[in-house]
């Protein structure tokens, strides 16, 4: 009885599992905390370590790319078939800060395995999910007998993701030619649950602004003047209250222009997910759901644009009371955007709307900060189909589709490279990203290896490079 | 040609002017700053000094009344006619903090006269306006040939007014019998301008509260959860936005219950005042007027109840942005009340309204702090008529009527003693209360002396004690 390709892959992974985990543990011992200046050398060491490991894996090219901040790693393994599609894998090698005293049961930078889980800062976010590509591509070669991957494989592993990726877009623009790809696979994400493998098909974008409202030149006495002059805190509150209509839809004229609506198929697929509202509320630490009329909770956080107040402030906020009309007030707003929305047009709509709301005697100052575009890959995109098939083979069950409500630098890759972005992750909500006792489930980590072992062949078979 | 009573008064004042001003300067040299613990002994010295001076003036009784904080001074000079009305004068002997480096042109506690103005902390607020009663009662006796004032005269000069009068109400309750009076004259206020003598007929009351709104148990990620759970900052903003209707009337059901409306005569009198909106806006340091439809600016600040946001806060208020749904938000509201409104009923109305506004999933916590009742004396009250006549004689022109938009401890006197409160003050807006270079106009200060010299006789003639 000859071996199936899948059993070859599984055997190969089983044989190399111990060395793979040893290597990952070595990497996890490097505290590559990008947000802490005293770890700058560790972030550099982490980049050097990864570049060396990728060379050892077989990547002919593996370079450390400097930025004005922390370095990124770029690696490339061309396919011997020039017609094969090019895939760029994105991940990051920096990690969140962590200290034993934050509530860790073991040293955050001393990986340990307990109950088939690997505990360490970065185990899931994102070193584990970057590292499964090394064993994955080796298993792919072993199972197919190839000497090069079935696709042109590129990796870009940045070093500042946990610090807000301040130099990422510039880096991508600088190296746009070498990064050129037919599709981007983001390997820094999760799936629905241990039992429900999913592929994420898109991410919301983001526009952020601060609106400052100036009234009296200084705080004034509310007894002498209150009730007869406009109050900037009232104006700020009214602005916020006017953000939504009675159906919880954003009431800014033009805000929904161009929004790509959910298809019936997408809504069906979302509805098939084993969503438990009570469990979701526990994760949200919230006590009720509330949102745009006509949409489910998942649709609201994944596929609908929002306007949210992140902060509001004005006047006296200390203990007791102070009878003033405040001189100024401030609101910080963020808008999550979905496919079809352009942050620049949203900014224009918000400015026009806000200025129109503000009463005479109040001066309005609006500052927008860095925007992130939304990204969305249609369900029928061949690369997405390949990812779903590869994952389905690895997990032995049908794969479902999700989206991500947050926003990330992957959108810059879509923007600059003009390639669709897919999200392949094996992390689960309990992995504790950014929290104490971050872990990765070893079984899922190895399913990640297996998924990529199938993916490159599937992609090459079903999708050709379209120049 | 025999002297008129008025010329006797004027001559008397002119003869005693220098000694009066020397005495006042001596008092002003005592830095009786009640808000600063290291001046506690000075506040005590100020009380002792005043009690001694009132005895010297002729008051048979002049006592220092201890409180858990700074002491008050009580003095009493009974009339030989037991049927005469009893008048209680209210003022305060403590002052606001002051330091040369705040912008004073001379030492704040070293009084100097420049251009017929006396500069010192407390010159107008309130030592000058308390002190004119000493020379006033002497001039009254000199002009009438009496040995006791024509009314039963009582003075209560507190020592904590600039610290919010924390023990005032308890003091008044404790001594209610000795303080009993037919009317209270507050000598801690101002008039329209140098050219326009006015009597204030009422003060707004005050109810204050803080509303805390609790949403998620901690700040949560606006990408993962935003748009699908209620945001407490949005709820706070909506609460504030719902405070007023489109006519800038307070929209809380029951808020206007019992409000005593302005009479046509009062509105006419207000309208006769030389009000200059541009000048008023400069004083308000504001850039537009805005308020309840159907009322003028003066009516809005003097005679209409208001709801004002004194502070609002929630979520992230630092530099840059933070994409969260905040865990909680807070608003501080104050309500100015007018005659006919009861702070307890207003509190009840606000609570019912606020709780009804808050959406599911948001918990609302409302805390009310110390309330002050409004006070208002009708224009036709005989004591008010006497004050207006006396002031008219002193200034040689008709006296107009104002109200005060702020709120003060005088309302406690009205409350506990059940006596109408009148406001007799000669300070003008340029006197700089609480500011550097506080001063009093010497001409106006002496008009204050003269007013009280006429007042007691007028009162006794036109009004009898009604037991």
């Amino acid at each position: 009885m000859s071996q199936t390709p899948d059993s070859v892959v599984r055997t190969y992974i089983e044989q190399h599992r111990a060395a793979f985990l040893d290597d990952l543990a070595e990497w996890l011992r490097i505290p590559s905390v990008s947000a802490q200046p005293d770890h700058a050398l560790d972030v550099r060491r982490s980049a050097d370590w990864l570049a060396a490991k990728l060379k050892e894996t077989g990547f002919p090219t593996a370079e450390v790319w400097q930025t004005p901040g922390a370095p990124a790693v770029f690696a490339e393994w061309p396919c011997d078939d020039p017609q094969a599609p090019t895939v760029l894998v994105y991940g990051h090698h920096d990690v969140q800060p962590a200290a034993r005293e934050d509530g860790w049961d073991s040293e955050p930078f001393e990986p340990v395995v307990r109950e088939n889980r690997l505990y360490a800062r970065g185990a899931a976010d994102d070193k584990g999910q970057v590292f499964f590509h090394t064993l994955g591509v080796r298993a792919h070669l072993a199972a197919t007998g190839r000497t090069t991957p079935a696709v042109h494989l590129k990796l870009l592993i940045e070093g500042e993701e946990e610090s807000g990726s301040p130099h990422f877009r510039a880096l991508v623009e600088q190296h746009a030619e070498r990064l050129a790809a037919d599709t981007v696979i983001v390997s820094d994400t999760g799936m629905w649950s241990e039992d429900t493998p999913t592929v994420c098909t898109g991410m919301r974008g983001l526009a952020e602004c601060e609106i400052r409202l100036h009234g009296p030149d200084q705080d004034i006495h509310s007894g002498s003047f209150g009730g007869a002059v406009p109050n900037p805190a009232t104006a700020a509150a009214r602005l916020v209250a006017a953000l939504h209509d009675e159906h919880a839809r954003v009431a800014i004229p033009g805000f929904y222009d161009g929004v790509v609506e959910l298809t019936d198929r997408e809504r069906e697929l979302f509805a098939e997910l084993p969503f438990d509202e009570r469990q979701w509320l526990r994760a949200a630490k919230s006590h009720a759901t509330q949102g745009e009329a006509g949409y489910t909770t998942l649709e609201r956080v994944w596929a609908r644009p929002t306007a949210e107040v992140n902060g509001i402030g004005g006047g006296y906020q200390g203990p007791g009371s102070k009878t003033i009309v405040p001189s100024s007030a401030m609101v910080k707003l963020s808008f999550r955007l979905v496919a079809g929305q352009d942050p620049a047009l949203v900014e224009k709509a918000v400015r026009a709307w806000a200025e129109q709301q503000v009463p005479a005697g109040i001066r309005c100052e609006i500052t927008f900060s860095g925007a992130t575009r939304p990204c969305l890959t249609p369900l029928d995109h061949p690369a997405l189909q390949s990812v779903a098939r590869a994952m389905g083979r690895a997990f032995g069950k049908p794969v479902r589709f999700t989206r991500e409500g947050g926003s990330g630098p992957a959108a810059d890759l879509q923007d600059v490279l003009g390639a669709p972005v897919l999200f392949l992750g094996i992390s689960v909500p309990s992995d504790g990203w950014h929290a104490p006792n971050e872990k990765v489930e070893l079984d899922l980590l190895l399913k990640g290896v297996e998924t990529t072992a199938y993916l490159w062949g599937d992609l090459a078979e079903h999708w050709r490079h379209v120049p």
Side-chain angles (χ1 to χ4, degrees), chain A:
Chain A
M1 199 173 97
S2 77
Q3 283 196 303
T4 67
D6 291 13
S7 68
V8 175
V9 162
R10 285 184 194 131
T11 305
Y12 186 88
I13 292 172
E14 197 48 44
Q15 284 166 347
H16 294 82
R17 170 195 165 112
F20 167 76
L21 292 179
D22 284 350
D23 283 348
L24 175 57
E26 192 177 304
W27 194 22
L28 289 168
R29 282 190 195 96
I30 302 174
S32 48
V33 181
S34 60
Q36 297 177 335
D38 54 339
H39 282 297
L41 278 177
D42 292 319
V43 182
R44 181 162 300 276
R45 265 210 298 147
S46 163
D48 291 341
W49 186 95
L50 178 62
K53 188 57 63 179
L54 291 172
K55 282 222 155 159
E56 200 183 305
T57 300
F59 282 82
T61 301
E63 303 170 2
V64 173
W65 282 358
Q66 305 303 332
T67 78
V73 173
F74 173 73
E76 185 172 8
W77 197 338
C79 178
D80 52 18
D81 174 4
Q83 297 299 307
T86 302
V87 176
L88 174 67
V89 170
Y90 165 85
H92 62 91
H93 67 93
D94 63 322
V95 299
Q96 280 277 312
R100 178 78 187 256
E101 55 268 29
D102 295 343
W104 286 77
D105 295 330
S106 53
E107 287 297 334
F109 296 106
E110 193 43 69
V112 290
V113 173
R114 292 191 300 267
E115 291 171 348
N116 214 27
R117 290 164 177 156
L118 174 61
Y119 287 87
R121 172 58 83 226
D125 178 21
D126 183 35
K127 285 174 175 169
Q129 302 202 94
V130 166
F131 205 59
F132 68 56
H133 288 281
T134 60
L135 183 55
V137 71
R138 298 281 346 156
H140 160 60
L141 298 180
T144 56
R146 301 183 53 90
T147 52
T148 64
V151 297
H152 299 293
L153 189 57
K154 298 177 179 179
L155 265 64
L156 178 63
I157 312 301
E158 75 157 317
E160 296 187 304
E161 200 273 346
E162 300 295 2
S163 302
S165 304
H167 308 104
F168 185 66
R169 194 183 172 100
L171 186 79
V172 174
E173 283 170 348
Q174 184 191 341
H175 297 287
E177 263 184 62
R178 295 189 67 190
L179 293 169
D182 296 300
T183 189
V184 173
I185 293 186
V186 171
S187 202
D188 179 27
T189 175
M191 52 184 227
W192 182 265
S193 72
E194 284 84 340
D195 304 326
T196 309
T198 49
V199 175
C200 172
T201 65
M203 225 172 35
R204 290 196 290 189
L206 182 63
E208 293 174 290
C209 71
E210 182 175 306
I211 304 180
R212 296 200 87 89
L213 297 167
H214 302 275
D217 296 336
Q218 63 185 49
D219 291 351
I220 58 173
H221 194 289
S222 75
S224 307
F225 305 110
V229 296
N231 178 326
T234 304
R238 286 186 186 162
L239 207 60
V240 170
L243 268 178
H244 299 90
D245 68 14
E246 69 274 29
H247 307 296
R249 273 175 72 85
V250 178
I252 297 169
F255 181 77
Y256 289 98
D257 287 0
V259 160
V260 174
E261 296 290 333
L262 279 161
T263 63
D264 290 346
R265 179 71 190 130
E266 282 171 302
R267 301 187 79 167
E268 278 170 33
L269 287 171
F270 286 0
E272 282 172 12
L273 288 162
F275 177 76
D276 177 334
E277 184 168 282
R278 270 193 295 181
Q279 192 180 327
W280 185 87
L281 277 174
R282 270 199 300 278
K285 300 188 189 297
S286 292
H287 304 281
T289 59
Q290 180 189 290
E292 191 181 353
Y295 295 91
T296 67
T297 292
L298 284 184
E299 289 166 355
R300 286 168 179 166
V301 295
W302 285 349
R304 297 301 301 168
T306 66
E308 202 72 57
V309 193
N310 310 119
I312 187 166
Y316 181 68
Q317 298 184 48
S321 61
K322 196 172 176 187
T323 45
I324 53 167
V325 175
S327 169
S328 68
M330 173 282 299
V331 290
K332 287 179 192 278
L333 304 178
S334 63
F335 302 90
R336 297 284 169 178
L337 310 179
V338 300
Q341 283 180 303
D342 179 339
L345 295 180
V346 167
E347 172 174 343
K348 211 172 144 189
V350 171
R351 283 184 184 279
W353 165 83
E355 269 153 26
Q356 198 250 320
Q357 301 287 313
V358 170
I362 301 281
R363 188 166 53 83
C364 173
E365 215 181 326
I366 309 179
T367 316
F368 272 79
S369 49
T372 307
R373 286 178 184 277
C375 44
L376 179 65
T377 302
L379 287 180
D380 57 3
H381 191 281
L384 188 62
Q385 295 291 327
S386 284
V387 170
R389 270 192 305 269
M391 200 171 191
R393 271 166 80 182
F395 283 81
K397 53 175 75 172
V399 166
R400 296 173 192 277
F401 297 90
T402 65
R403 293 205 204 167
E404 165 58 41
S407 315
D412 288 325
L413 293 167
Q414 170 198 256
D415 250 30
V416 180
L417 308 179
V421 174
L422 311 174
F423 301 84
L424 166 60
I426 52 73
S427 181
V428 287
S430 63
D431 282 352
W433 291 30
H434 300 201
N437 298 313
E438 179 181 346
K439 54 89 180 165
V440 68
E441 303 280 333
L442 289 185
D443 286 348
L444 298 182
L445 186 65
L446 296 171
K447 295 286 184 205
V449 174
E450 195 177 339
T451 299
T452 57
Y454 303 139
L455 178 57
W456 311 136
D458 191 288
L459 256 176
E461 187 180 333
H462 291 90
W463 199 38
R464 303 303 293 165
H465 170 67
V466 193

